[in-house]
Amino acid sequence: MIQKAVEHLKSVDSVLEWHMEKIGPVSVKARRVAVFQSLARAIIYQQLNSKAADTILSRFKALFGDGYFPSAERVLAVHPEQLRSAGLSRPKANYIRGIAERAASGSLPTLKECDKLTDAEIVQRLTEMKGVGRWTAEMFLIFNLGRLDVLPVHDLGVRRGFQIAYGKRKMPEPEQLERFGEKWRPYRTVAARYLWRSVDSL
């Protein structure tokens, strides 16, 4: 599937093709971890650089003593202030608890249920929860489910990667990137992966 995606993208976009040749293969392997874990992790990473988010994630897991990502039930068993001691803001701690409550009550979709839903249906279901916006839902689709046609046009890394790859003076607006990315269908996720790598290759 990834080879088919690469061939398609190269056939429709010569600029992207040049960068793909320069960067080499990218992985689109899905994590396939529990939905609660994936969403909670994404919330921790919201609006933070990777280094800061990695530190908070490590502290968050350390609260539970065994080094593993905690279950929803274990998160609900600790006081919100304990979550904040890991470096989470008060809103993020509340968002994670809210998702944990849904998971514990069985109202959070499972991975198997997600597999039967379209990208748009999953985004709609997830963004009904506080703290889960479109970006978080798209990260879930890309990294946890491995969906191949997701273009997170509001992601600063993707926009910056486009600016670099296409030699633009400024980052594209989300609407501009959305229109441009139509040519990459049905493999927009793979294009996004290469745009992220364009930033990393600086």
Side-chain angles (χ1 to χ4, degrees):
M1 183 61 73
I2 185 64
Q3 185 57 39
K4 188 175 180 181
V6 167
E7 289 173 1
H8 170 76
L9 293 172
K10 287 182 176 180
S11 72
V12 299
D13 191 332
S14 59
V15 174
L16 188 60
E17 177 184 17
W18 187 88
H19 283 275
M20 292 169 76
E21 293 286 353
K22 178 183 175 184
I23 291 168
V26 298
S27 172
V28 293
K29 186 176 180 181
R31 291 193 186 110
R32 301 289 299 182
V33 300
V35 175
F36 166 69
Q37 178 178 336
S38 180
L39 294 177
R41 187 181 190 279
I43 285 172
I44 290 171
Y45 277 73
Q46 285 173 354
Q47 298 177 319
L48 293 175
N49 63 51
S50 294
K51 186 176 180 180
D54 286 344
T55 298
I56 292 173
L57 178 61
S58 294
R59 291 174 181 166
F60 175 78
K61 291 193 291 186
L63 291 176
F64 301 90
D66 57 8
Y68 293 101
F69 203 96
S71 65
E73 290 78 9
R74 293 185 72 191
V75 168
L76 293 173
V78 303
H79 194 278
E81 287 304 311
Q82 282 185 266
L83 299 181
R84 293 200 64 208
S85 71
L88 291 169
S89 65
R90 180 171 281 108
K92 284 188 177 184
N94 289 336
Y95 296 154
I96 290 172
R97 282 185 59 84
I99 296 170
E101 287 170 357
R102 286 198 176 223
S105 69
S107 60
L108 196 65
T110 64
L111 285 176
K112 285 187 177 180
E113 289 170 339
C114 286
D115 288 340
K116 299 175 183 177
L117 300 173
T118 66
D119 293 351
E121 288 169 337
I122 292 170
V123 169
Q124 182 178 357
R125 287 278 299 273
L126 297 185
T127 54
E128 292 172 353
M129 296 180 283
K130 282 188 176 181
V132 182
R134 185 170 187 87
W135 179 87
T136 302
E138 288 171 338
M139 295 304 104
F140 174 77
L141 290 170
I142 291 172
F143 293 105
N144 206 46
L145 297 185
R147 296 291 175 94
L148 289 175
D149 194 33
V150 182
L151 181 59
V153 297
H154 293 89
D155 185 88
L156 289 177
V158 171
R159 293 170 63 200
R160 173 66 174 144
F162 184 91
Q163 178 188 10
I164 293 166
Y166 293 83
K168 303 296 184 180
R169 286 189 296 174
K170 61 180 183 178
M171 290 191 294
E173 294 301 318
E175 297 79 11
Q176 293 173 306
L177 186 54
E178 185 81 53
R179 288 194 299 271
F180 188 93
E182 284 298 313
K183 68 167 68 176
W184 299 329
R185 286 184 182 273
Y187 302 111
R188 292 180 298 168
T189 295
V190 181
R193 292 272 195 170
Y194 276 102
L195 295 180
W196 275 317
R197 289 286 299 276
S198 292
V199 178
D200 295 338
S201 65
L202 280 180

